Amino acid sequence: MDLRTTVSLLLLLLLGLCSAQDHGADNEISVEKSDMEDVGDTILRMNNGSSDFLLEGDVVLPKTRNAMKCLNKAFSCLWPKSANGNVEIPFLLSRKYDASEKHTIVQALKDFETKTCIRFVHRAAQRAYLSIEPRYGCASLLGRTGDKQVLSLQRYGCVSHGIIQHETLHALGFYHEHTRSDRDQYIKINWDNINPHFTLNFKKQDTNNLNTPYDYSSIMHYGRTAFGTRRSETIIPIPDTSVVIGKRDGLSKIDILRVNKLYKCWRYMG
């Protein structure tokens, strides 16, 4: 191989590496989606390979406990109410999203406003706010955690109505439905089909269920094959095994009811 050929090959290699680094910096990873895939499966697929430890596949673990049960009396894990009775959550939308993606995100947030007292307002100088960014995968912290709180919605995979609402419910303080405290009355976990490293994702949480029924149709319910080592069932509804789970692409009626109960949106509760 002559010197000119060697130099040309090295230049091509360097250009390829630079292109890959730039591509990764913006998290613009295109991943194919099956037509049969539900919201939960998409989230788990998009988060595969994340360097963060994600509880239940998409919940970023905070340094303090924040959930529907606020045990820290010095700091509420819920977003506060304003004087007008609404819960106004400041948010900042990354400029890396294109116009179509921004529209999809804003419309998914506005859908909360037609059914609850939650209001998403553009951040001005508020200290605590949601920063919606195209980081790797689809993920959120649980509840209000302090100052800047990142809600990750990777481009080309996570910017869809259902996933946006799913991650937003985490930010409002909700766990997944299949880990609520009374889940054993409604689903069976097939532990033999779960990699031992992922069993923590099915640990029951000490949740405040707000006197609402178990909701197989919740946007927060993962599908039958979540975290499975094979394409067989890991989550099985009982006693009726034919019940549909994990197939929504938006808030269920009970999802809406829970938001209104948790945040005391009385005028939206009929």
Side-chain angles (χ1 to χ4, degrees), residues 22-31 96-97 101 134-135 154-156:
D22 289 342
H23 186 70
D26 289 334
N27 293 319
E28 297 179 0
I29 303 172
S30 179
V31 187
K96 292 183 179 180
Y97 293 114
E101 291 164 336
R135 296 191 181 187
Q154 180 180 317
R155 302 183 68 192
Y156 311 123

Side-chain angles (χ1 to χ4, degrees), residues 33-44 160 162-163 166 176-179 186-187 202 214-226 231 233-237 240-252 255 258:
K33 175 182 177 181
S34 166
D35 292 337
M36 301 297 292
E37 190 171 81
D38 58 52
V39 166
D41 286 340
T42 303
I43 291 171
L44 296 180
S160 70
I163 291 176
H166 179 108
H176 292 121
E177 188 73 358
H178 68 274
T179 62
Y186 306 98
I187 60 171
F202 293 90
Y214 190 90
D215 185 13
Y216 296 107
S217 68
S218 172
I219 191 70
M220 304 305 284
H221 206 307
Y222 274 175
R224 292 174 179 267
T225 60
R231 293 299 294 178
E233 296 181 340
T234 55
I235 303 176
I236 305 167
D240 183 1
T241 58
S242 67
V243 171
V244 176
I245 60 174
K247 292 297 181 183
R248 290 198 68 85
D249 195 31
L251 300 169
S252 72
D255 288 332
R258 286 178 186 151

Side-chain angles (χ1 to χ4, degrees), residues 84-143:
N84 60 15
N86 291 327
V87 178
E88 296 183 348
I89 302 177
F91 77 99
L92 199 60
L93 196 52
S94 171
R95 294 181 179 179
K96 292 183 179 180
Y97 293 114
D98 63 29
S100 176
E101 291 164 336
K102 289 178 180 178
H103 177 77
T104 299
I105 293 169
V106 170
Q107 289 304 117
L109 297 180
K110 281 186 175 296
D111 193 34
F112 281 87
E113 300 184 1
T114 64
K115 301 161 184 174
T116 72
C117 65
I118 306 297
R119 300 289 182 271
F120 293 93
V121 299
H122 291 284
R123 184 199 181 216
Q126 298 93 330
R127 181 174 178 178
Y129 66 100
L130 279 180
S131 180
I132 304 175
E133 304 175 10
R135 296 191 181 187
Y136 189 96
C138 331
S140 173
L141 285 159
L142 199 64

Side-chain angles (χ1 to χ4, degrees), residues 158-172:
C158 299
V159 184
S160 70
H161 190 87
I163 291 176
I164 296 163
Q165 293 195 336
H166 179 108
E167 299 303 338
T168 301
L169 281 173
H170 281 318
L172 288 173

